[in-house]
Amino acid sequence: MAFSELIKDHERIRDYMRQFYVYGFKSREEYDAKSARSYDNERRRIESWLGDYMSFWQDANGKRLFLSVDSRAIRYNPLYQSFKAKSFTDKDIALHFFILDIVADPCSLTVREIVERIENNYLSHFDDAFSLDESTVRKKLKEYENLGLLTAERNGREVRYHLSADTVNLDSWMDAVAFFSEENPAGVIGSFLLDKADVPPSYFGFKHHYILHALDSQVLLDLLTAMREHRAVTLVLRSQHSHKELRRVVYPLKIYASVQGGRRYLLGWHYGRKSITFYRLDAICQVTPGAVDGEHDDYMACYTRFRKYLWGVSTSTVHGVEHIEMTVCVGEGEAHIPQRLQREKRNGTVTQLDAHTWQFAADVYDAAELLPWIRTFIGRITELRCSNQMVVDRFYADLERLRQMYGGEDDAV
């Protein structure tokens, strides 16, 4: 059973989980942001969710905890549990049962009528009942309307509420929901839906399963909402190294997700710099929506021009747009090599030079971003050229270090 002391501020627990169990590997003695007692409370809470996925090592500086997860052995992302541990006040809990009991009758009621029934049918039976005002109930009704628990019918200035009909049967959708919960960037929604199943499907497994994005789900939702409404946002960013907080006003355009490492980025128009910039989602602490910006089409036109030379997330223009070419040799029965080049070329081009030679070429902002991909063709590369010679030099320098590390003949290719 999860630790009963629930949380109200998810950003606080998100930051703690990242600093200690994902990136930091800090010991109890190194935690100086708050008291040692706070450290123990947070550790106990997180261990109640992730106890089966935690390991530690002991060194001279003390005990260091970290997550140890084999993605092939888990069916559902355990980090979603942090979103299901929200706290409530005594009044929240009382109003929850009062309101749902009242609207269970097949009739529609106004806010004032609901307040009167709460006072007459419930609070009047207690000598020390809490005080109740209409605005509190109205906020709670609006919250339940947004959650889909209640339906609001508007007639002029009058709003009447009744219990929503629960006619959705998810049984036939559980397979899709189970896949969605682990594969979609907003999979935490699927995780909540899976809680409604008696026995969730357990036959999906993922060889490369990036679970850490779960901690950024609220940030992602806020950004997607702003994108849909064409709103500017104010971002609160925290550096992983200096821990300084920065504020940036941005118009969000796209969410980029790395298929290599699972990291996600926001690409947005930076008002101050008047340019397009990337921001790591795991560095964003808060997203505050701003005014609607009517220049959406202009920003998207700028993005269309911008992405023409975009390979990854680097927008470096120190050397301008860089041109890179790679020529590879393809043997008999290796049709999968040119197929792979075509599939992974992104904004580049692939040309067949002869029966056994293919050439990849691209114009990009930062050719060095291609090196990890280019290295996967080692043994087939016959020529590598780049307008930025440092990229070619780095490739062959890495190859030389590899030869020295693992040995081999001096004339080996």
Side-chain angles (χ1 to χ4, degrees), residues 386-403:
C386 183
S387 59
N388 182 0
Q389 185 60 35
M390 290 187 296
V391 174
V392 179
D393 294 343
R394 177 179 169 186
F395 173 79
Y396 285 108
D398 290 344
L399 207 58
E400 175 59 21
R401 284 197 296 270
L402 193 66
R403 187 193 67 80

Side-chain angles (χ1 to χ4, degrees), residues 75-99:
R75 290 294 178 263
Y76 297 106
N77 193 331
L79 300 182
Y80 289 144
Q81 185 60 39
S82 65
F83 289 93
K84 302 174 184 179
K86 185 178 180 181
S87 65
F88 300 91
T89 65
D90 293 344
K91 183 181 289 188
D92 286 330
I93 297 172
L95 286 178
H96 175 79
F97 290 103
F98 293 165
I99 291 173

Side-chain angles (χ1 to χ4, degrees), residues 82-360:
S82 65
F83 289 93
K84 302 174 184 179
K86 185 178 180 181
S87 65
F88 300 91
T89 65
D90 293 344
K91 183 181 289 188
D92 286 330
I93 297 172
L95 286 178
H96 175 79
F97 290 103
F98 293 165
I99 291 173
L100 292 185
D101 188 42
I102 290 171
V103 299
D105 295 332
C107 62
S108 298
L109 301 171
T110 65
V111 177
R112 182 173 295 277
E113 290 171 339
I114 293 175
V115 171
E116 291 176 352
R117 293 199 181 191
I118 292 175
E119 291 177 339
N120 296 333
N121 298 348
Y122 304 97
L123 299 183
S124 62
H125 296 284
F126 300 93
D127 296 331
D128 55 350
F130 56 80
S131 60
L132 185 67
D133 58 82
E134 191 172 310
S135 64
T136 300
V137 177
R138 181 178 287 105
K139 292 177 182 177
K140 184 62 66 174
L141 293 172
K142 183 65 177 177
E143 176 187 345
Y144 283 8
E145 180 189 359
N146 293 335
L147 291 172
L149 296 176
L150 301 180
T151 298
E153 297 176 346
R154 290 167 174 79
N155 184 10
R157 298 185 62 182
E158 185 179 73
V159 181
R160 306 185 74 87
Y161 294 89
H162 63 84
L163 196 64
S164 297
D166 187 13
T167 59
V168 179
N169 187 342
L170 293 174
D171 292 346
S172 60
W173 289 89
M174 277 301 163
D175 289 352
V177 172
F179 184 79
F180 174 93
S181 70
E182 304 307 307
E183 189 65 18
N184 194 272
V188 65
I189 300 172
S191 181
F192 275 96
L193 294 176
L194 284 175
D195 291 341
K196 298 179 178 293
D198 294 333
V199 181
S202 60
Y203 35 74
F204 289 117
F206 301 87
K207 182 178 180 181
H208 302 292
H209 193 18
Y210 307 114
I211 68 172
L212 298 181
H213 68 74
L215 299 176
D216 308 323
S217 296
Q218 184 62 55
V219 169
L220 176 64
L221 175 61
D222 293 340
L223 290 173
L224 292 176
T225 301
M227 291 165 61
R228 182 183 61 190
E229 298 175 355
H230 294 175
R231 293 183 180 275
V233 295
T234 298
L235 305 178
V236 177
L237 305 158
R238 180 177 297 131
S239 169
Q240 294 290 342
H241 303 290
S242 65
H243 303 293
K244 292 182 179 179
E245 285 194 355
L246 304 172
R247 279 176 167 74
R248 297 288 184 266
V249 182
V250 176
Y251 185 84
L253 294 171
K254 294 288 182 179
I255 301 295
Y256 273 67
S258 169
V259 297
Q260 294 174 316
R263 182 167 287 162
R264 297 185 295 184
Y265 301 82
L266 165 69
L267 184 144
W269 176 264
H270 188 294
Y271 286 101
R273 299 175 184 170
K274 298 187 183 303
S275 63
I276 291 178
T277 307
F278 277 102
Y279 303 91
R280 281 173 48 175
L281 255 64
D282 62 350
I284 300 175
C285 302
Q286 184 179 346
V287 179
T288 303
V292 173
D293 191 329
E295 305 299 321
H296 172 78
D297 291 342
D298 292 339
Y299 299 139
M300 290 304 297
C302 183
Y303 163 71
T304 300
R305 297 190 298 269
F306 171 82
R307 70 177 180 178
K308 182 179 179 181
Y309 305 110
L310 186 66
W311 178 265
V313 296
S314 175
T315 58
S316 174
T317 56
V318 175
H319 301 93
V321 174
E322 300 174 346
H323 182 77
I324 188 167
E325 295 179 359
M326 174 181 66
T327 305
V328 298
C329 180
V330 179
E332 295 291 341
E334 294 183 333
H336 62 283
I337 299 301
Q339 290 175 1
R340 183 185 164 207
L341 286 171
Q342 290 286 358
R343 185 175 64 249
E344 301 175 4
K345 63 183 175 62
R346 301 190 189 181
N347 55 349
T349 59
V350 176
T351 306
Q352 184 174 6
L353 302 182
D354 56 45
H356 297 289
T357 310
W358 293 73
Q359 184 183 76
F360 163 84

Side-chain angles (χ1 to χ4, degrees), residues 13-26:
I13 205 69
R14 172 186 177 230
D15 181 65
Y16 191 92
M17 293 173 74
R18 289 185 307 178
Q19 294 296 327
F20 282 84
Y21 300 102
V22 179
Y23 305 123
F25 301 152
K26 296 178 181 177

